[in-house]
Amino acid sequence: GSHQSYHFAHEGWFGRNTYAGGADKVSHFVTYSLVSKEFANLYTQLGFARDTSILMGFGLAATAGLVTEIGDGTNKYGFSYEDLIMDVLGAGTAAIIGYLDADDLIGFRYGFLLPKSGSATCCQVPGLGPDYSNHIYTGDLKLDGLARRLGVSIGPLKYLMLSATYGTKSYPTGLPENRERLVGIEIGLNFQEILNHVGVRL
């Protein structure tokens, strides 16, 4: 976007009157947790010790978040300390999960709702950033990993995940009275565990 004089933003967190209803904050958390996790895996594959790899993955992800916010200070978004906190929290959470060897227990995902709720948000008003209406962010509790730690057999339930979800509708370009912040609980299939069972390793 166009260059602006350097400035800071005070976006808030998950309030109804924030510009994205908190969807952007969850997006930062999930994205940087994935960055931290995958770079830790990459460094491990390159031959670094696992603890060192996790630390480097965290450091790289947190640094990337800082650089992104420094850049945002020159455009329409502004440097957001809230975004940076969520970046570091996401990267740090992934590092803790990695240190605890708990990837088979806890995970994070984001995706897009299909079919879309509409080609465009109804009654659009000026808004900052993308429309989050079709985005969903998920934290997973993988039942197989839980059962393994509890030392119990749960049969085919091991192929399921219990998840918490977050999403918004009509943020930031819908009329304020149409905006929704949505928290959900879902039960889904753990495709990684299913593929592991049939011999496909991810």
Side-chain angles (χ1 to χ4, degrees):
S2 60
H3 177 79
Q4 298 183 16
S5 59
Y6 205 87
H7 62 288
F8 293 84
H10 301 288
E11 296 177 341
W13 298 96
F14 295 89
R16 179 173 178 81
N17 295 322
T18 56
Y19 95 89
D24 59 317
K25 300 299 173 279
V26 182
S27 173
H28 276 267
F29 179 92
V30 172
T31 298
Y32 283 88
S33 71
L34 294 173
V35 170
S36 178
K37 173 185 175 181
E38 295 307 326
F39 271 102
N41 291 339
L42 174 62
Y43 287 128
T44 300
Q45 291 295 318
L46 292 174
F48 290 93
R50 183 60 181 166
D51 286 358
T52 302
S53 298
I54 292 169
L55 183 61
M56 290 194 297
F58 166 76
L60 183 60
T63 301
L66 175 61
V67 171
T68 298
E69 292 310 313
I70 291 173
D72 279 351
T74 68
N75 59 38
K76 63 182 180 181
Y77 293 105
F79 186 109
S80 168
Y81 78 89
E82 298 99 332
D83 285 351
L84 181 58
I85 288 173
M86 294 305 284
D87 297 341
V88 174
L89 284 176
T93 299
I96 292 170
I97 292 170
Y99 275 120
L100 296 176
D101 197 23
D103 285 318
D104 66 327
L105 179 64
I106 300 171
F108 300 99
R109 298 175 288 134
Y110 69 90
F112 302 95
L113 300 175
L114 296 172
K116 290 185 176 181
S117 60
S119 58
T121 297
C122 171
C123 316
Q124 286 197 353
V125 297
L128 182 68
D131 188 334
Y132 286 89
S133 294
N134 296 302
H135 299 194
I136 187 168
Y137 305 93
T138 308
D140 301 315
L141 175 65
K142 304 173 185 179
L143 298 188
D144 180 61
L146 179 62
R148 188 179 302 115
R149 284 163 175 76
L150 295 176
V152 298
S153 175
I154 57 174
L157 292 178
K158 70 180 183 178
Y159 301 120
L160 299 180
M161 299 185 296
L162 180 63
S163 306
T165 67
Y166 190 81
T168 61
K169 290 185 178 180
S170 299
Y171 280 92
T173 57
L175 291 174
E177 59 265 28
N178 293 335
R179 295 175 181 172
E180 300 177 36
R181 294 162 294 151
L182 306 169
V183 177
I185 299 293
E186 67 178 31
I187 296 175
L189 293 174
N190 184 344
F191 282 105
Q192 181 174 357
E193 184 58 31
I194 293 171
L195 292 173
N196 285 342
H197 181 76
V198 299
V200 179
R201 300 298 175 189
L202 300 177

